[in-house]
């Protein structure tokens, strides 16, 4: 077979392809949509561009040829079982994930994991270098691939390289724990534009660059002396969803009928509360269960009136911290149900599955209150999906201050999930809120989510990326080295690329 030498003007590189390879009980292989917000966000972007997507097919030792799925050209990168263990489960999800989420869980540092991370990042960079057209654009995604921008630039200085970090970037005091902190920063600085979810994340990154490399930063610009002197942009681009698609689904009679059915199946309680998360310790699922359990124990509500539906989709099940979390959550659900459920009313409907989008929209429409109580979250697209689906302006969103979405969704009922009493009060407030007040808040939230949809996110990022190439050489400018530049604003035009 001759090697496919087609190249593409636009290439996305992410750890996972948008589809995972799955093998059924009879040994037949197929593909299913892969988990997480990243795929949800990027799929519509890819459909609009004739590009290629480089990623792992989600299973060890699977070596498949490039293929086209749903109009997207997919370039699989194979990982061995040892690499899945060291690069993916180890360094990505047991070192970087807890570290970047404010050490909610203890990160593990292992040198063999790091070696594997370097090796696998090189493989992704090589694959991207092969499929990218001369002078093309490559957009690298997320914490699993932070070395790729530098590795790619070394091979292909002709490319325009973007990087987007979907998860938080931690404050320097936490980031400094990482034994390879310098290498990661250098890896990222290979990009022309580095995107973050919040201004605070971009500020944390710039501060780490100043502290570790002593480079000058001017607002959102970083002067990198390498490669003859370049200017790198580090800026917030809050990610979003395909809002109009959620609106469209919410308006279909079938989905509305399904929402009604769900309410009936749950015994038509006055209030349905909903949680939808990957089963991850960053999501604060335990905190929300604790709050609900206490409210029932204190007779501030009863299972006849209020029920909680918790969708917890399986995630990273071979990582020890995730296994422990699952046991802990399921023990708590079992206790609360044992203590408070009746024959006809269940306190918590716990569902350890992922669901198709149609069913999710029906759940959003059925739920009076959406609970997003993350302890730390890059953005949280579930909050935005709920809002986009509420075309009736009904429902109340309880949203953690520690989710990136809280920066934009200020009319939600914001909570500190660590404050269990505060969370309980917020739940009661949401239940008792007048329909008029709910509608007022929901209208304001909807405006935000409909305005800043995923198309706007990607075009803002890609416009910034294109502009970075035509940027004037760095002029001496204001040097920012204060410790509190959490929310950096864009510099006035004339100091760098005008975006
Ligand atoms: C988050 C990350 C993604 C990741 C997803 C699912 O959304 O930002 O990069 O793909 O979780 O996690 P998984 O480890 O299953 O890919």
């Amino acid at each position: 077979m001759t090697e496919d030498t087609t190249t593409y003007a636009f290439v996305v590189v992410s750890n996972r392809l948008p589809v995972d390879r799955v093998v059924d009980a009879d040994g037949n292989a197929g593909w299913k949509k892969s988990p997480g917000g990243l795929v949800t966000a990027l799929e519509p972007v890819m459909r609009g561009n004739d590009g290629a997507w480089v990623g792992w097919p989600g299973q060890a030792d699977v070596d498949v040829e490039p293929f086209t799925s749903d109009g997207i050209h997919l370039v699989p990168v194979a990982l061995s079982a040892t690499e899945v263990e060291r690069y993916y489960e180890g360094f990505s999800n047991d070192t970087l994930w807890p570290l970047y989420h404010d050490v909610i869980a203890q990160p593990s540092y292992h040198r063999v994991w790091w070696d594997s991370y370097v090796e696998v990042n090189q493989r992704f960079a090589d694959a991207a270098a092969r499929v990218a057209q001369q002078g093309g654009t490559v957009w690298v995604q997320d914490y699993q691939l932070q070395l790729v921008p530098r590795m790619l630039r070394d091979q292909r200085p002709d490319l325009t390289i973007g990087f987007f970090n979907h998860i938080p970037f931690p404050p320097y005091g936490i980031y400094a724990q990482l034994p390879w902190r310098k290498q990661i920063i250098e890896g990222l600085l290979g990009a022309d534009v580095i995107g973050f979810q919040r201004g605070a994340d971009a500020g944390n990154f710039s501060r780490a660059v100043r502290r570790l490399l002593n480079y000058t930063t001017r607002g959102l610009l970083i002067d990198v002396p390498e490669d003859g002197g370049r200017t790198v942009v580090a800026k917030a681009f809050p990610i979003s969803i395909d809002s109009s698609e959620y609106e469209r689904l919410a308006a279909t009679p079938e989905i509305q009928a399904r929402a009604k059915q769900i309410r009936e199946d749950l015994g038509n309680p006055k209030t349905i509360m909903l949680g939808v998360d990957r089963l991850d310790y960053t999501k604060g699922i335990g905190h929300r269960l604790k709050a609900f359990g206490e409210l029932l124990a204190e007779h501030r509500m009863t299972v006849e009136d209020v029920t909680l539906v918790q969708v917890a989709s399986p995630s990273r099940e071979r990582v020890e911290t995730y296994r422990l979390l699952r046991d802990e959550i399921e023990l708590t659900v079992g206790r609360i149900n044992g203590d408070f459920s009746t024959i006809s009313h269940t306190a918590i409907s716990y569902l350890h599955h992922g669901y198709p989008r149609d069913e999710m929209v029906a759940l959003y429409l059925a739920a009076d209150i959406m609970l997003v109580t993350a302890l730390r979250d890059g953005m949280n697209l579930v909050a935005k999906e709920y809002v986009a689906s509420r075309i009736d302006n009904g429902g109340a969103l309880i949203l953690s201050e520690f989710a990136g979405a809280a920066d934009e969704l200020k009319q939600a009922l914001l909570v500190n999930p660590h404050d269990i009493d505060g969370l309980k009060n917020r739940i009661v407030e949401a239940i008792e809120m007048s329909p008029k007040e709910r509608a007022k808040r929901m209208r304001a939230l909807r405006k935000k989510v409909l305005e800043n949809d995923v198309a706007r996110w990607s075009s803002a990022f890609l416009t910034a990326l294109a502009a970075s190439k035509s940027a004037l050489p760095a002029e001496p400018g204001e040097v920012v080295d204060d410790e509190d530049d959490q929310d950096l604003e864009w510099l006035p035009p004339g100091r760098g690329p005008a975006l």
Side-chain angles (χ1 to χ4, degrees):
M1 198 174 136
T2 53
E3 206 194 328
D4 182 4
T5 51
T6 318
T7 56
Y8 297 82
F10 182 61
V11 177
V12 161
V13 190
S14 70
N15 175 53
R16 273 186 196 276
L17 284 174
V19 284
D20 276 345
R21 191 165 181 273
V22 281
V23 181
D24 69 14
D26 302 325
N28 303 316
W31 297 88
K32 77 165 206 279
K33 193 172 181 291
S34 50
L38 188 146
V39 169
T40 317
L42 281 172
E43 247 189 340
V45 181
M46 286 306 283
R47 276 187 222 298
N49 289 279
D50 176 29
W53 191 322
V54 176
W56 171 52
Q59 251 185 24
D61 295 316
V62 167
D63 203 356
V64 258
E65 291 297 319
F67 63 104
T68 301
S69 157
D70 257 349
I72 306 175
H73 185 70
L74 305 179
V75 182
V77 172
L79 298 181
S80 70
T82 308
E83 286 164 347
V84 171
E85 205 180 304
R86 296 180 178 175
Y87 148 78
Y88 169 69
E89 290 162 357
F91 199 77
S92 296
N93 290 321
D94 205 14
T95 304
L96 294 173
W97 183 269
L99 182 76
Y100 281 31
H101 288 87
D102 290 354
V103 294
I104 295 167
Q106 185 60 41
S108 304
Y109 302 113
H110 296 295
R111 284 162 286 182
V112 288
W113 290 3
W114 164 252
D115 294 343
S116 181
Y117 186 80
V118 176
E119 230 173 85
V120 171
N121 269 246
Q122 188 66 58
R123 190 170 314 145
F124 275 87
D126 294 348
R130 267 197 309 275
V131 294
Q133 227 165 63
Q134 183 68 26
T137 296
V138 179
W139 193 2
V140 184
Q141 311 290 327
D142 232 357
Y143 63 102
Q144 302 95 341
L145 300 175
Q146 293 174 97
L147 304 178
V148 170
R150 181 75 251 169
M151 290 169 165
L152 199 51
R153 181 169 297 279
D154 286 345
Q155 287 188 56
R156 294 286 307 272
D158 58 294
L159 297 173
T160 302
I161 304 170
F163 180 92
F164 189 79
N165 197 51
H166 292 253
I167 69 172
F169 195 90
Y172 185 71
I174 289 177
Y175 182 72
Q177 283 188 16
L178 187 65
W180 307 278
R181 59 196 186 187
K182 237 174 151 172
Q183 289 95 314
I184 294 271
I185 297 275
E186 284 167 348
L188 289 169
L189 286 172
D192 296 293
V193 175
I194 309 173
F196 296 91
Q197 301 282 26
R198 302 171 308 153
D201 299 315
N204 288 343
F205 174 74
S206 295
R207 197 165 309 113
V209 170
R210 289 196 297 277
R211 299 284 288 263
L212 293 168
L213 302 177
N214 219 4
Y215 291 172
T216 303
T217 64
R218 297 169 296 125
L220 303 173
L221 305 180
I222 300 169
D223 295 333
V224 176
E226 284 166 7
D227 313 307
R230 298 159 48 231
T231 303
V232 172
V233 178
K235 183 181 184 289
F237 298 89
I239 202 169
S240 193
I241 56 164
D242 189 354
S243 315
S244 55
E245 175 63 7
Y246 280 86
E247 279 199 303
R248 188 188 68 75
L249 290 171
T252 59
E254 296 78 16
I255 291 181
Q256 292 187 356
R258 175 69 191 139
K260 228 173 135 214
Q261 182 68 48
I262 291 172
R263 289 198 73 97
E264 270 166 34
D265 291 349
L266 290 167
N268 266 325
K270 277 197 204 115
T271 304
I272 295 173
M273 300 201 294
L274 175 65
V276 176
D277 311 84
R278 267 186 316 102
L279 190 41
D280 194 297
Y281 51 82
T282 57
K283 303 291 183 183
I285 302 170
H287 292 63
R288 110 183 41 136
L289 295 179
K290 192 173 179 59
F292 184 43
E294 286 188 15
L295 286 167
L296 291 170
E298 291 160 8
H299 308 291
R300 288 172 77 184
M301 53 191 62
T302 66
V303 292
E304 282 75 26
D305 286 341
V306 183
T307 192
L308 169 64
V309 177
Q310 176 63 54
V311 176
S313 52
S315 191
R316 306 175 189 165
E317 293 188 289
R318 292 181 358 152
V319 179
E320 175 76 357
T321 329
Y322 286 77
R323 273 206 290 262
L324 294 173
L325 173 80
R326 181 172 177 194
D327 288 348
E328 190 187 310
I329 296 297
E330 294 184 355
L331 183 76
T332 310
V333 169
R335 284 227 173 106
I336 294 176
N337 278 341
D339 285 345
F340 303 107
S341 295
T342 63
I343 298 280
S344 48
H345 293 91
T346 306
I348 304 168
S349 295
Y350 171 79
L351 306 154
H352 186 238
H353 319 281
Y355 287 97
R357 192 181 282 184
D358 288 21
E359 182 72 354
M360 293 313 306
V361 174
L363 272 167
Y364 293 144
L365 285 176
D368 304 288
I369 296 171
M370 182 78 212
L371 284 166
V372 177
T373 56
L375 306 177
R376 180 51 88 200
D377 207 333
M379 175 54 63
N380 197 289
L381 295 180
V382 163
K384 293 189 171 181
E385 288 173 7
Y386 180 66
V387 167
S389 304
R390 295 312 303 232
I391 50 175
D392 57 348
N393 290 322
L397 173 64
I398 295 184
L399 177 61
S400 166
E401 291 165 19
F402 301 108
D407 276 18
E408 291 169 272
L409 303 183
K410 295 203 188 329
Q411 295 82 4
L413 291 161
L414 295 178
V415 284
N416 168 6
H418 297 281
D419 172 9
I420 301 294
D421 285 335
L423 179 53
K424 284 158 66 183
N425 291 338
R426 273 306 207 196
I427 292 174
V428 172
E429 187 186 339
I431 291 176
E432 290 174 352
M433 187 176 278
S434 71
K436 203 171 153 211
E437 174 68 14
R438 279 189 185 188
K440 190 175 133 212
R441 286 175 182 263
M442 190 51 79
R443 264 196 297 274
L445 292 172
R446 291 181 53 70
K447 191 160 178 277
K448 278 271 175 198
V449 173
L450 294 173
E451 263 169 24
N452 188 30
D453 66 358
V454 72
R456 183 139 165 210
W457 167 74
S458 58
S459 81
F461 185 92
L462 294 173
T463 306
L465 191 54
S468 73
K469 275 291 164 172
S470 51
L472 301 167
E475 286 171 25
E478 182 194 347
V479 177
V480 181
D481 61 1
D482 63 310
E483 287 296 308
D484 292 315
D485 50 353
Q486 290 279 322
D487 287 299
L488 297 173
E489 289 303 323
W490 188 240
L491 287 178
R495 294 255 199 88
L499 301 182

